[in-house]
Amino acid sequence: MGNLVSTIFVTLDGVYQAPGGTEEDTRDGFEQGGWSFPLADDDFGRFDTEVFSRAGGFRLGRCTYDIFASYWPKVTDPGHPIAGRLNALPKYVVSHTLRAPAWPGTTVVPGDLAKEITALKERTDGELQIHGSGALVRSDGAVPYDVRDSPEYGTFELPEEDHGASGDANGGGPGPA
């Protein structure tokens, strides 16, 4: 049985929107995309590689899925520590509007999230990872326990502040699509 694990790049003031690229997520006029990767170094790369090595599957919100699906399937090296895992392992997308996902290995999960989490964990070896998808993590029923009760926290601090994003870990941001 897998464990449900959430990984979110978040600034000190609670912003998680668009850490990877300038055009990644411009909702609500957000213009500071790509804030985390200029700060990345070898330690960051080792951390990211280690996180993905533990994955047995991925649970993604619709926005994160769209961002990932626009990039990672194009990285075709099966030995790539991130693309190899994302392209080979199952992806479960929580969405009420996605009907025919193009990324192989993707399943749309439109139903009862709490019930689905239990079933997904039961058939996952390793971690069932949620990357990004802050609205999904916050949404009712998405996580069947208070994340503050988690026995393990992993942090990777980046000395950056980003103000005015819709992806706000303190409760702002849009819900699942």
Side-chain angles (χ1 to χ4, degrees):
M1 177 184 255
N3 293 317
L4 183 64
V5 175
S6 173
T7 300
I8 297 178
F9 299 131
V10 62
T11 63
L12 295 174
D13 59 346
V15 175
Y16 59 82
Q17 185 173 354
T22 57
E23 300 300 318
E24 184 176 286
D25 182 355
T26 57
R27 283 176 295 160
D28 299 326
F30 187 63
E31 297 177 350
Q32 299 176 41
W35 55 265
S36 72
F37 291 139
L39 304 168
D41 58 12
D42 290 342
D43 288 336
F44 179 85
R46 284 189 290 277
F47 169 79
D48 223 18
T49 297
E50 207 263 303
V51 165
F52 277 88
S53 74
R54 297 190 310 252
F58 302 97
R59 187 166 165 262
L60 306 169
R62 176 65 186 272
C63 290
T64 300
Y65 172 80
D66 287 344
I67 291 165
F68 279 21
S70 72
Y71 179 78
W72 290 111
K74 298 172 190 168
V75 182
T76 58
D77 175 4
H80 187 283
I82 298 171
R85 305 295 285 172
L86 283 169
N87 290 327
L89 294 172
K91 293 158 287 294
Y92 306 100
V93 182
V94 178
S95 176
H96 298 290
T97 58
L98 182 63
R99 299 288 179 243
W103 195 1
T106 300
T107 301
V108 177
V109 180
D112 180 335
L113 296 180
K115 191 181 298 181
E116 291 294 334
I117 288 170
T118 301
L120 293 175
K121 285 173 52 179
E122 286 177 358
R123 65 178 179 251
T124 300
D125 291 325
E127 295 178 352
L128 180 58
Q129 296 182 351
I130 304 171
H131 287 269
S133 307
L136 175 63
V137 172
R138 283 192 331 266
S139 66
D140 291 340
V143 180
Y145 59 89
D146 188 325
V147 294
R148 293 170 292 192
D149 295 334
S150 176
E152 179 180 336
Y153 281 96
T155 62
F156 195 90
E157 296 177 19
L158 301 171
E160 180 73 14
E161 287 190 18
D162 245 352
H163 302 284
S166 67
D168 179 346
N170 297 312

